[in-house]
Amino acid sequence: MEHLLNELTFKIVDTLNLVDVTPNDIDPDDHLIGGKLGLDSIDILELVMMIEMDYAVKINSKELGEKVFSSIKSMAKYIYENSSEVS
Amino acid sequence: MVCPAGRGIQSLKNWINLGGRKIRPLSLFTVSPENLFPVGEVSESFEVHEIPRSHQLAFTAAQEAMAGTQTPPDAVIIGVTTGGILTTEMHLKNHVSDPEAFAYHSAGSVAEYISDKYHCKGPAITVSNACSSGTVAIKIALEMLRSGQARRVLAGGVDSLCRLVYYGFKSLQLIDPAGARPLDKNRRGMSLGEAAAMLLLVADDITPGDAVVEILGGGLSCDAYHPTSPHPDGEGALNAMRAAIQDAGISPSDIDYINLHGTGTPDNDLSEAKALKSLFGSCLPPLSSVKGAFGHSLGAAGAVEAVISAISISEGVIPENTGCQIPDLKLGLEPVMVPMEKKVRIVLSNSFGFGGNNAALVMGILQGKKPVPLPKTPPLTIEGFAGITGVGDINEALEHISAGKDCHGMSPLSEISKFLHPSVTRRLKRLPRMALALAHAACKNANLQDTPSSIFWGTGWGPISETYDFLRKLYESDEQFTSPTDFIGSVHNAPAGQVAISLGASGPNVTTTGGDYSFEQCLLTASILVEKINVPFLVIGADEFHEALSPLFDRSVTADKVRSDGGGAICLKRSHVSDKPKIFPVFFENSTGNPNIISSLFNKLGSLREIENRFGTLLAGIPSAFRQKGEKQLQEFLVLSDFHLPVIDYRKLTGEFASASAVAIALAAKFIQNGKIPASLCNGDDYFLNGKGILIIGFGKFVTAIEIVP
């Protein structure tokens, strides 16, 4: 799980082309939308696609997305519980 | 009209009377079972396969609109978002490398195709404003008729289903798997559709006998809020509706029916409902969305719904809000649940789209009033200008030109983005960065204190990096994965939306496209739509070079070994008092089937003496794909006008790209500011303009003329 959290911070910075942010700056408890990272709904959809591609986990509704993307920790937890590729 | 209800007005009339859902699982192309959603597909298969489906749909609709008349329209104005992309997608998937196969790729090629079919000698304008395109096209047509520049305009909208849009909207999670349920409390999104609708709009002293309704007014606005999400309180939608109602000279209480945008997405329906309640209070007239029946046909939707509104008036029936079972109480709207017979005199029809674009149209029962000529407006003045060339901005370009060199090439992305904040550019590829950089530079050059009201954006090919990256990811993943960011960025008007957000420009935001004449379309459209005095606005044109797609799409770019791109922007206002140069888009005609086009241009410019007194230099734009034809046209003009002053073949300076004319306009403004043309362009000595202006003529498929005078 710790590994997954770490991996996700790198992937978020990379996928979203975040500038002035390094993976170390990201607190796993931070809010993703409207937080320090300045992400919006388009970024979240890009993360949905990344998670489906890299972890074969689908997040296909806004309601579920709101829950999953509340923080990186909640993201990691959801992937951990639903992916057959993460152990 | 051709739409999921069938071909022809009668099939639409039947649907309006009976209602019913016309969406069904996609069959036009194959998708995996988990990606199979209901769509509003047109049940027509077309035989000539080299002509894309959009073009054929548009022609089918145009044939009906033009039946019974032999007189060509004076202009063709069509709303299109994706043009021939359905065919392009197939060719790209099969790695087709013959540019001929992509001859009908561009969104602008639909209007050109229709224009040629009906021997229209005037402009063919393509509006690519995402989902509001069809409505914006009708508004531009209305203003063209009001201004007297045309008496008959064939206007409308078209889009066919395609993979780009199908998978794009899916990636945004905006598709309702059960089919769109506008205004329903359980709605989950939209359904896509396809259609074409064309309207022949006529401004004659005597109302034609077969006329159906009158277009009373239209209103445009931009949220300047977010690339895809509507403003949460519907502010932009409200502004567009207010503008349309004011333009029509009516009050909200005069409206008998509202044809909603009503896509069925939770956010759209909520923001539209808020806007409606702000405008109408509790006195809402009957309203409905037809998108649960037909799906959302994007660029066509506004035109389809204008036709539905016309039928509603002529037949006295209000269409049902198909798909809604239990109206969402939170919206506070009561949609018409089954077709309703009612006398309808005036309809308001809404269309909103990506980029925060909002358009509303007011149509009414025939009153036979004569069109009232518009009051004469002050000229457009160039308050500021900017350019991007292969060697840098306009000043750097001028240095190169003065030293006898050209400006071919592509500015590095870092150079284009140097004044843009990284948090803004992190999701933007080459074209939107150019648009933003140009917009800010033109405002700075104008020393602008106010926010520009409106943004007019012309691009020959749109954001092709985003289009290419989206399709590449789709195909590489066997149609499983895409990038939502690329999809949002791929729409032609995305850069204009970015500019509006960045500057807070909440007035009309209009994108035009049509190959080498996109910027000219854009300037013409701006001159038609902007009436307000002393309010600054921007006209921007740019195109990017893309290694894989540009050589396939644009036959001119392959003629030059050096790949070039760039663009230009001008900050304009209408003013009697400004001491800045004035700009006039004076001529725009189709050269196909128009053998007298150059004499027509000459006559438009005035007598030999007027041309001699007014202009010191001619900037000639000849795209290399039209080199032979263009040079012949230029020679004919030079002979006819007896023009012996400097003639600058500007593509030899800028390189080959569709928006080279936007750079030419910025260069011309610079020449006028300096009062001279550099010696390197005039046989050895600086040529002093001595108060004379510059004429910029585009040659080739269309012939256009723009005057800039001190």
Side-chain angles (χ1 to χ4, degrees):
Chain A
M1 183 75 173
E2 200 57 40
H3 172 73
L4 179 60
L5 264 177
N6 196 27
E7 188 175 85
L8 282 174
T9 53
F10 275 88
K11 286 194 175 190
I12 287 174
V13 172
D14 182 51
T15 307
L16 304 180
N17 200 14
L18 296 181
V19 284
D20 306 332
V21 178
T22 68
N24 293 335
D25 298 337
I26 302 179
D27 180 340
D29 286 314
D30 274 354
H31 281 289
L32 276 176
I33 300 187
K36 286 193 293 207
L37 299 178
L39 306 193
D40 69 4
S41 56
I42 301 170
D43 295 310
I44 296 303
L45 293 165
E46 204 65 54
L47 293 180
V48 166
M49 206 55 81
M50 182 272 286
I51 292 170
E52 195 176 332
M53 260 176 87
D54 294 359
Y55 302 99
V57 173
K58 280 186 199 277
I59 301 156
N60 53 12
S61 78
K62 201 177 165 188
E63 297 73 35
L64 178 59
E66 275 168 13
K67 210 177 79 188
V68 175
F69 294 106
S70 107
S71 68
I72 296 187
K73 207 177 243 176
S74 61
M75 240 173 104
K77 185 166 175 278
Y78 189 80
I79 295 170
Y80 190 77
E81 287 167 356
N82 291 279
S83 174
S84 54
E85 297 172 17
V86 180
S87 55
Chain B
M1 155 74 72
V2 54
C3 76
R7 184 179 189 152
I9 294 298
Q10 191 54 49
S11 59
L12 194 58
K13 282 184 182 172
N14 295 345
W15 176 82
I16 290 178
N17 280 302
L18 297 171
R21 210 147 159 88
K22 296 291 175 186
I23 55 176
R24 55 189 165 83
L26 175 78
S27 70
L28 186 64
F29 47 87
T30 312
V31 296
S32 65
E34 60 172 18
N35 282 330
L36 190 60
F37 306 120
V39 292
E41 203 170 298
V42 169
S43 53
E44 297 266 337
S45 54
F46 299 105
E47 281 177 12
V48 191
H49 292 298
E50 63 265 31
I51 307 292
R53 189 170 172 85
S54 286
H55 300 60
Q56 305 233 27
L57 288 169
F59 185 46
T60 305
Q63 280 174 308
E64 192 180 11
M66 294 296 289
T69 177
Q70 298 299 318
T71 317
D74 301 325
V76 173
I77 308 178
I78 305 185
V80 184
T81 68
T82 52
I85 194 92
L86 182 67
T87 304
T88 298
E89 290 167 346
M90 192 179 70
H91 291 331
L92 290 178
K93 193 174 182 177
N94 298 331
H95 304 287
V96 172
S97 58
D98 177 9
E100 275 303 308
F102 298 90
Y104 293 96
H105 162 76
S106 81
S109 66
V110 183
E112 288 179 20
Y113 181 70
I114 298 300
S115 177
D116 290 351
K117 286 276 184 194
Y118 290 99
H119 313 291
C120 170
K121 288 184 184 171
I125 295 178
T126 301
V127 181
S128 206
N129 260 40
C131 307
S132 62
S133 305
T135 306
V136 177
I138 295 169
K139 166 68 178 173
I140 297 169
L142 172 65
E143 294 306 326
M144 197 179 254
L145 293 164
R146 281 174 168 168
S147 71
Q149 291 185 47
R151 299 192 71 151
R152 299 161 64 81
V153 181
L154 184 60
V158 63
D159 262 314
S160 77
L161 286 160
C162 63
R163 291 165 189 85
L164 175 74
V165 163
Y166 190 82
Y167 286 107
F169 276 101
K170 187 203 164 235
S171 78
L172 300 181
Q173 299 191 344
L174 289 177
I175 302 289
D176 188 334
R181 295 168 274 183
L183 311 190
D184 191 280
K185 83 176 177 91
N186 296 315
R187 72 189 182 281
R188 284 186 57 194
M190 55 192 270
S191 295
L192 283 165
E194 60 179 357
M198 302 294 282
L199 301 92
L200 179 61
L201 306 177
V202 179
D204 265 340
D205 292 341
I206 301 160
T207 308
D210 52 357
V212 187
V213 292
E214 288 180 10
I215 311 279
L216 300 177
L220 309 177
S221 78
C222 182
D223 285 354
Y225 168 73
H226 188 267
T228 54
S229 302
H231 187 281
D233 295 324
E235 254 179 35
L238 177 62
N239 289 339
M241 288 191 280
R242 274 198 180 129
I245 286 168
Q246 193 187 8
D247 190 40
I250 61 163
S251 60
S253 59
D254 295 324
I255 293 168
D256 301 309
Y257 165 56
I258 304 168
N259 182 283
L260 302 173
H261 183 54
T263 57
T265 68
D267 287 352
N268 170 81
D269 292 4
L270 185 60
S271 105
E272 188 171 13
K274 283 185 181 173
L276 286 168
K277 283 185 291 186
S278 300
L279 185 59
F280 290 90
S282 56
C283 304
L284 275 158
L287 47 87
S288 64
S289 159
V290 300
K291 292 194 176 75
F294 300 149
H296 186 358
S297 55
L298 311 183
V304 170
E305 290 164 32
V307 173
I308 288 173
S309 302
I311 297 175
S312 185
I313 293 168
S314 66
E315 304 286 300
V317 184
I318 291 176
E320 65 171 26
N321 191 100
T322 314
C324 178
Q325 304 273 320
I326 309 161
D328 185 353
L329 291 177
K330 279 189 245 135
L331 301 178
L333 301 180
E334 291 172 29
V336 173
M337 301 295 274
V338 290
M340 180 169 100
E341 282 187 30
K342 183 181 185 287
K343 175 103 180 137
V344 178
R345 295 178 61 86
I346 296 183
V347 178
L348 172 70
S349 180
N350 285 341
S351 300
F352 313 131
F354 279 6
N357 273 290
N358 307 294
L361 210 57
V362 176
M363 301 168 71
I365 198 160
L366 286 175
Q367 294 181 325
K369 276 192 212 158
K370 278 188 187 177
V372 182
L374 292 174
K376 210 167 160 47
T377 47
L380 294 171
T381 57
I382 304 179
E383 301 296 310
F385 55 86
I388 294 175
T389 71
V391 298
D393 64 17
I394 285 300
N395 291 329
E396 289 160 315
L398 188 59
E399 276 175 34
H400 270 72
I401 291 168
S402 301
K405 294 187 264 183
D406 64 48
C407 314
H408 294 209
M410 297 165 67
S411 263
L413 196 58
S414 55
E415 184 65 22
I416 293 167
S417 331
K418 67 182 174 188
F419 298 119
L420 304 174
H421 196 277
S423 65
V424 173
T425 55
R426 75 178 168 90
R427 283 200 297 230
L428 304 181
K429 294 183 176 168
R430 191 167 176 84
L431 192 63
R433 289 190 193 202
M434 281 190 193
L436 273 175
L438 285 166
H440 283 281
C443 289
K444 193 174 168 202
N445 185 260
N447 205 8
L448 209 60
Q449 307 298 320
D450 314 317
T451 301
S453 61
S454 315
I455 310 296
F456 296 89
W457 160 242
T459 177
W461 304 98
I464 43 181
S465 291
E466 289 83 345
T467 306
Y468 182 80
D469 291 346
F470 182 92
L471 290 174
R472 191 187 56 182
K473 191 166 179 181
L474 180 71
Y475 290 148
E476 282 177 357
S477 66
D478 200 18
E479 304 197 3
Q480 283 196 70
F481 304 116
T482 56
S483 161
T485 309
D486 282 337
F487 175 59
I488 292 163
S490 75
V491 292
H492 277 52
N493 66 315
Q498 289 292 342
V499 171
I501 293 169
S502 177
L503 296 172
S506 57
N509 189 290
V510 179
T511 296
T512 59
T513 183
D516 301 309
Y517 314 92
S518 304
F519 180 77
E520 287 83 342
Q521 286 188 21
C522 182
L523 180 64
L524 178 64
T525 302
S527 74
I528 291 169
L529 288 183
V530 176
E531 290 165 9
K532 281 189 187 152
I533 297 171
N534 281 330
V535 180
F537 61 96
L538 291 173
V539 183
I540 312 167
D543 273 286
E544 63 169 321
F545 177 80
H546 186 272
E547 199 62 46
L549 295 186
S550 296
L552 293 177
F553 293 168
D554 187 342
R555 286 182 298 129
S556 293
V557 305
T558 41
D560 188 359
K561 284 197 188 95
V562 181
R563 304 316 196 191
S564 302
D565 65 9
I570 41 178
C571 177
L572 303 180
K573 68 179 183 185
R574 285 206 179 278
S575 172
H576 278 307
V577 292
S578 172
D579 56 359
K580 298 289 173 65
K582 301 171 207 49
I583 184 166
F584 304 91
V586 286
F587 190 79
F588 198 130
E589 283 195 11
N590 187 347
S591 72
T592 306
N594 190 358
N596 301 322
I597 190 165
I598 299 298
S599 356
S600 174
L601 166 67
F602 175 70
N603 291 335
K604 187 79 191 179
L605 293 171
S607 64
L608 285 176
R609 173 164 289 191
E610 277 174 282
I611 293 174
E612 189 188 337
N613 289 342
R614 204 165 157 84
F615 306 111
T617 294
L618 166 61
L619 291 185
I622 309 174
S624 101
F626 298 104
R627 213 0 102 178
Q628 217 178 349
K629 182 177 190 171
E631 279 182 1
K632 205 172 145 217
Q633 290 167 333
L634 170 62
Q635 283 312 315
E636 192 184 337
F637 177 74
L638 294 178
V639 170
L640 211 54
S641 61
D642 200 22
F643 198 85
H644 293 293
L645 298 171
V647 176
I648 302 168
D649 190 345
Y650 67 75
R651 282 207 176 207
K652 292 190 172 160
L653 300 175
T654 60
E656 293 288 344
F657 54 97
S659 295
S661 54
V663 177
I665 294 293
L667 267 178
K670 186 73 191 172
F671 292 154
I672 289 198
Q673 192 179 58
N674 292 348
K676 62 179 186 180
I677 310 292
S680 58
L681 300 175
C682 325
N683 302 327
D685 286 315
D686 281 351
Y687 174 80
F688 289 89
L689 288 163
N690 290 326
K692 286 188 185 177
I694 295 177
L695 182 60
I696 301 100
I697 305 186
F699 294 103
K701 163 72 182 154
F702 287 83
V703 172
T704 61
I706 295 166
E707 301 177 7
I708 303 183
V709 291

